[in-house]
Amino acid sequence: VSTQSTGAGGEVYLKVRLIGKNNVAVPTHFFKVILVTEKGGNSYQMECYVMPNEPIRDDLPLTSFLVPRTAIEKGAGFFVFEFVADNQLRMVNRMPNPDFVG
């Protein structure tokens, strides 16, 4: 995952650090998505995190990095667990999902 910014004219810029002779891109952030299948296999719990690729204070709670699944999909450029419909998610980022159909 990398960071985007918008210029004055509406153009979008992608900020990426390059290292080495081959200019390997170093992401500014990384993500983790946890999908837990609940008993019976018809419902799930999901947690989505985006963290900066830099040292993080030990006293910072993990919950401060929770983000919507769509934020990860936008930043990464692909769908995450696209086979799981929103109404199958009983819990999203530790909160009850109002769209859940159980």
Side-chain angles (χ1 to χ4, degrees):
V1 180
S2 298
T3 55
Q4 292 182 355
S5 61
T6 305
E11 62 277 355
V12 177
Y13 293 92
L14 186 62
K15 179 182 175 185
V16 180
R17 186 175 131 215
L18 303 175
I19 60 172
K21 289 192 299 187
N22 293 324
N23 290 324
V24 176
V26 177
T28 59
H29 293 73
F30 63 95
F31 71 90
K32 295 288 180 192
V33 178
I34 301 165
L35 182 67
V36 177
T37 304
E38 295 187 327
K39 194 172 186 175
N42 296 325
S43 61
Y44 304 90
Q45 294 183 38
M46 179 181 282
E47 292 185 10
C48 306
Y49 300 90
V50 172
M51 303 177 86
N53 190 9
E54 59 188 41
I56 298 169
R57 295 189 339 254
D58 289 339
D59 64 334
L60 202 57
L62 185 60
T63 54
S64 65
F65 300 103
L66 287 168
V67 298
R69 173 171 49 170
T70 53
I72 292 174
E73 292 173 337
K74 181 180 178 185
F78 57 83
F79 294 111
V80 177
F81 294 116
E82 60 186 300
F83 62 87
V84 177
D86 287 342
N87 64 5
Q88 291 179 287
L89 296 169
R90 187 177 62 79
M91 301 284 287
V92 178
N93 290 343
R94 304 182 182 193
M95 301 291 291
N97 179 13
D99 298 326
F100 175 66
V101 177

